[in-house]
Amino acid sequence: MLSISLALGVGLGTEAAGVPPLPPPAETIVVTTPDNQIEVISGADPVEIIVTAPAIYAGTYSVSQADLAAGPVNLVPPQLSVAAEVGESMGYTPGLWAFDAARGSVLVAGQWLRDDVDIAGATGTSYDVQEADLETQLRVREVAMQIGQTAQVQVSTPVSIDRRTLVFSLIGQSNMVGFAAFDGGAGYPAQAFQVARTGRISGGTNDEIVPAQTLLDHHDGAANFMGLAVQFAIDHMAAHPYDRVLLVPDARSSTSFAANHWNRGNAFYNSAVARLNTLFAANPDYEFCGFLWHQGESDAGSAADAAAYAGRLDQMITDMRADVSVATATTPFVVGGMVPDWVAGDANRQTVQAALSDTPNRVGYTAFVTSGGLVPQADGIHFDAGSLRLLGARYFTVLEALRAGLPPDPGTGWQIKGSVIQSGETPPAVPDIDGTVVLEGN
C-alpha cells in the first residue's frame, strides 16, 4: 500500500511543514493543512485524490502508482497573478504536488522566467516587474525533487507584460487641430500613436493604428501644422514612460453647435463616437482616459448662439459619455479657453469663454484649462506654436488631476496643489490666474 502526501510548491512537502504523511489508504481520509483541506479516497491503482479547498486547488485527481514511483506528480501548476506594471509586484500561487512520502520528503524550487530564460535571483513567490520585462512574457517554473527520484518540472501559463494603452479623444475645431506651423521642437514620443483616417497625412487607413506625427489625422489641417496634442503626449510620456498613448483625432476647423456639427446625430459628433466605439470593440483591453475639447470660436457669431453655448456643450458632454461604449458619467471631459485677446474684442466671444470656464460648475468630472497668457498668430484667432505647447502641457496637468480621482468629494473644501485648484464645492470668486485650473466635482 502507498502512503500519499501532498505538497505545495513553496519549497517543502507538507509533512516538512508539520503535516505528517497520510497513513496507508483507508476508505476516506481527510487531511487539514494551514492552506487547504484534502480528501483522499483510496484505490489500489490509480489512487484518487479529491481536493475540496481552497478553490484554486479543488478538483479530483487520479495518480497511478507508476507515476508516484517515478517521483513527485504535479496536480495543479503554479499560477501567476494578473500582470503588473513596471515597479509593481507580481505573485504566484505555488503548484500542488503529490508524492509517495515513503520515498522521502520533497523539495520544490521556484524560478521566474522572462521569455523562458531564468531571471537571476528571482526565486521567491513574488517578483517586482522591471523595465526589461516590458513586452515580454513572464512564467514561473517549479522543479520538484525527491531523493533518488527523477526531478519533475512544471511551468505556469505565461503572462504578457504589455504597456498600458491609454486612449484620448481629441475633438473640437481649429485650435484643437492646430493651425500653427511646426516649430521644429520635440515631436511625438516613440510610444505615441494615433488612429488614422483614410486620405489624411499619415497615409494610414480608417481605424488603423499608426505612429503619431505632426499633424495628426484630424479632418483637416496642413501637414506642416502642429497641435496642442504633441506637448500633451510629451508630458504624459515623461510622467508615465511605460505607457503607450493612443490619440483619436476628430477635430475640424470652423465647426460649431449652431451649424449642426457637434450635436448628437451630427456628422462630426457621429464620427468621433463611431471611431472610439470601433477602436474599443477591437481592443477591449485599452483604457479610455477622456475627451479633450477645444472649440467655441464658431459659436460666437451671434448673441443667440453664444447664449445657447453652455446648454449645447453640457448636452454634448452628457450624450458623448452615453454614446461611447466605454465611457461613463465620470469619464473626464476637459475644455480649453480661447485666445484671450480675441475674446476681449467681442461680447459674444466673452459669453462663450465664460461658458467654457464655468463648465466644471455645471457638469461633474469636467475641467477648464485657462488660456491666460497665451498669444495668437497674426490672424488673431489661432494660437501660435509656443502657446499650443503651453496649452497642451496644461491639458495634461488637468487631465492627470481628474484621472487621479480629483476633485475631492463634496464637503472636503478647497485645496491648493501646484497650479491646480481642486474643489468639490462651488468655486469662490478668484481672478483668472495664468496656468491655474479650476476643477469641481458635483
Side-chain angles (χ1 to χ4, degrees):
M1 301 287 285
L2 291 173
S3 175
I4 305 297
S5 290
L6 298 173
L8 296 178
V10 292
L12 296 173
T14 54
E15 72 275 21
V19 179
L22 299 183
E27 297 231 346
T28 299
I29 302 171
V30 175
V31 176
T32 300
T33 75
D35 297 304
N36 61 346
Q37 185 176 24
I38 300 160
E39 182 180 10
V40 178
I41 299 177
S42 64
D45 192 8
V47 176
E48 186 178 57
I49 303 172
I50 300 174
V51 180
T52 59
I56 196 168
Y57 298 126
T60 300
Y61 309 96
S62 183
V63 182
S64 72
Q65 292 188 22
D67 288 340
L68 288 165
V73 176
N74 182 258
L75 304 182
V76 180
Q79 300 179 53
L80 296 186
S81 63
V82 296
E85 298 178 34
V86 172
E88 295 180 347
S89 182
M90 286 183 68
Y92 79 90
T93 302
L96 186 65
W97 297 80
F99 60 95
D100 180 0
R103 299 175 185 274
S105 63
V106 168
L107 174 68
V108 182
Q111 172 67 55
W112 289 80
L113 310 174
R114 179 191 299 124
D115 285 343
D116 296 324
V117 176
D118 289 10
I119 301 174
T123 57
T125 55
S126 65
Y127 170 72
D128 292 335
V129 178
Q130 310 295 315
E131 185 174 0
D133 300 320
L134 277 173
E135 299 174 346
T136 72
Q137 289 189 323
L138 296 182
R139 297 177 187 254
V140 167
R141 179 185 65 234
E142 285 188 342
V143 178
M145 296 163 283
Q146 191 173 31
I147 295 174
Q149 307 297 100
T150 302
Q152 304 296 315
V153 178
Q154 185 66 51
V155 181
S156 69
T157 299
V159 170
S160 296
I161 306 300
D162 298 322
R163 295 179 184 271
R164 294 187 307 168
T165 298
L166 306 185
V167 179
F168 306 89
S169 173
L170 310 178
I171 47 180
Q173 61 179 108
S174 52
N175 272 320
M176 177 56 75
V177 174
F179 268 45
F182 181 60
D183 60 6
Y188 282 98
Q191 291 300 323
F193 295 83
Q194 65 168 319
V195 177
R197 188 185 308 278
T198 300
R200 290 295 292 146
I201 299 163
S202 72
T205 57
N206 286 336
D207 305 319
E208 181 183 0
I209 296 174
V210 299
Q213 63 183 71
T214 53
L215 186 71
L216 298 174
D217 282 3
H218 288 285
H219 289 279
D220 65 348
N224 65 322
F225 286 174
M226 63 176 285
L228 64 87
V230 64
Q231 193 63 45
F232 173 88
I234 289 170
D235 286 9
H236 181 96
M237 292 306 303
H240 305 285
Y242 309 121
D243 288 345
R244 185 169 80 140
V245 169
L246 180 55
L247 306 170
V248 187
D250 275 296
R252 173 64 162 85
S253 65
S254 303
T255 52
S256 65
F257 293 112
N260 295 317
H261 297 125
W262 288 107
N263 307 290
R264 183 186 241 168
N266 296 161
F268 293 105
Y269 175 100
N270 289 351
S271 172
V273 169
R275 276 161 55 86
L276 287 169
N277 286 342
T278 298
L279 174 68
F280 282 101
N283 303 279
D285 56 326
Y286 289 0
E287 180 179 345
F288 186 43
C289 296
F291 302 92
L292 307 186
W293 170 262
H294 200 287
Q295 191 274 340
E297 295 88 349
S298 291
D299 278 297
S302 72
D305 289 341
Y309 188 80
R312 290 167 171 170
L313 175 62
D314 296 355
Q315 188 61 54
M316 186 205 68
I317 294 172
T318 299
D319 291 341
M320 278 210 163
R321 284 172 168 172
D323 292 344
V324 172
S325 61
V326 294
T328 70
T330 63
T331 296
F333 200 107
V334 181
V335 306
M338 301 177 291
V339 171
D341 290 346
W342 184 81
V343 170
D346 182 86
N348 295 334
R349 300 169 189 173
Q350 293 165 26
T351 298
V352 174
Q353 186 87 317
L356 287 164
S357 65
D358 191 55
T359 303
N361 294 335
R362 304 187 310 270
V363 184
Y365 302 96
T366 66
F368 172 70
V369 179
T370 182
S371 55
L374 304 185
V375 297
Q377 303 175 63
D379 63 10
I381 194 172
H382 294 115
F383 293 106
D384 68 9
S387 292
L388 285 171
R389 286 196 181 269
L390 287 171
L391 197 59
R394 293 177 186 178
Y395 267 84
F396 168 73
T397 299
V398 173
L399 189 60
E400 190 82 340
L402 283 179
R403 293 189 62 236
L406 303 172
D409 292 332
T412 58
W414 282 83
Q415 307 171 38
I416 302 296
K417 181 180 180 182
S419 62
V420 179
I421 298 177
Q422 307 151 11
S423 173
E425 303 172 346
T426 301
V430 294
D432 185 28
I433 304 170
D434 180 25
T436 299
V437 179
V438 179
L439 308 178
E440 195 197 2
N442 300 326

